[in-house]
């Protein structure tokens, strides 16, 4: 019985506390280099007015992100729905209800460690090692792994091997 926890650094806290409009803009900025953005129109999601935006890979090939469609709340810029299609795989995330500024009781945000549980610092579980090449990464991993090949549009700036220590009790 373990409780996993981690500390957020100042940069992570700042990104979590950004307004929804900034988060939506960051997503669109991130994908505009590799995708063509198109406003499909307006729609209703979770009984809210939403802007429907589609992002299609510019080269018709994007193994990481594929075709993305998002429905963004017109008032709050919250992403109410997203559909990602990569080859034969499709992932859909959709809110069916959405309330702006609901009244929430403080007790909802109090966590009590269950009796007998062990606290495990996740930062101590992860080990990251910066390496100079894919070949050097192979010596750390000792198993086949996926990585992006460098191309004219993809350059590897840093190669970091992330290792996670074994967790004694698995969650079913």
């Amino acid at each position: 019985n373990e409780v996993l926890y981690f500390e957020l650094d100042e940069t992570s806290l700042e990104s979590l506390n950004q307004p929804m409009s900034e988060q939506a803009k960051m997503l669109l900025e991130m994908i505009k280099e590799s995708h063509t953005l198109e406003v499909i129109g307006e729609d209703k999601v979770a009984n809210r007015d939403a802007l429907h935006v589609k992002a299609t890979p510019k080269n018709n090939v994007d193994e990481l992100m594929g075709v993305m469609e998002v429905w963004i709340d017109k008032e709050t810029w919250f992403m109410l729905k997203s559909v990602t299609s990569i080859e034969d795989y499709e992932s859909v995330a959709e809110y069916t209800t959405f309330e702006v500024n609901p009244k929430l009781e403080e007790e909802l945000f109090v966590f009590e460690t269950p009796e007998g549980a062990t606290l495990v610092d996740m930062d101590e579980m992860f080990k990251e090692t910066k390496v100079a090449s894919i070949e050097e990464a192979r010596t750390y991993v000792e198993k086949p792994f996926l990585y992006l090949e460098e191309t004219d549009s993809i350059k590897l700036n840093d190669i970091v091997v992330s290792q996670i220590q074994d967790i004694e009790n698995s969650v079913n």
Side-chain angles (χ1 to χ4, degrees), residues 13 36 56 75 90 102:
L13 283 172
T36 301
T56 306
E75 177 189 349
E90 182 174 87

Side-chain angles (χ1 to χ4, degrees), residues 40-167:
I40 301 297
E42 295 183 15
D43 209 343
K44 285 271 191 194
V45 178
N47 209 25
R48 310 250 327 151
D49 292 328
L51 190 62
H52 180 187
V53 178
K54 184 175 183 178
T56 306
K58 290 181 178 177
N59 298 327
N60 288 335
V61 177
D62 188 329
E63 292 85 15
L64 287 179
M65 296 174 68
V67 175
M68 295 176 60
E69 293 185 67
V70 294
W71 286 257
I72 300 170
D73 184 87
K74 289 176 68 175
E75 177 189 349
T76 65
W77 282 74
F78 187 83
M79 192 181 319
L80 297 167
K81 179 178 179 181
S82 70
V83 176
T84 304
S85 303
I86 305 170
E87 295 183 5
D88 295 335
Y89 173 80
E90 182 174 87
S91 173
V92 178
E94 180 176 359
Y95 287 87
T96 56
T97 59
F98 181 79
E99 185 179 343
V100 178
N101 298 322
K103 300 274 188 243
L104 301 173
E105 300 297 325
E106 286 290 323
E107 298 84 52
L108 287 172
F109 301 97
V110 175
F111 177 78
E112 293 184 19
T113 304
E115 188 175 325
T118 305
L119 293 174
V120 178
D121 186 347
M122 290 181 67
D123 293 331
E124 292 179 15
M125 294 172 54
F126 292 93
K127 178 183 175 194
E128 290 190 338
T129 306
K130 192 170 182 176
V131 295
S133 67
I134 295 295
E135 290 305 316
E136 186 179 353
R138 285 191 178 104
T139 64
Y140 278 92
V141 178
E142 298 176 349
K143 293 179 184 177
F145 59 90
L146 296 174
Y147 63 93
L148 291 172
E149 294 277 348
E150 284 193 296
T151 66
D152 290 340
S153 60
I154 299 173
K155 297 293 180 209
L156 298 178
N157 293 328
D158 293 317
I159 303 171
V160 178
V161 176
S162 300
Q163 297 170 302
I164 303 173
Q165 294 176 356
D166 291 335
I167 299 175

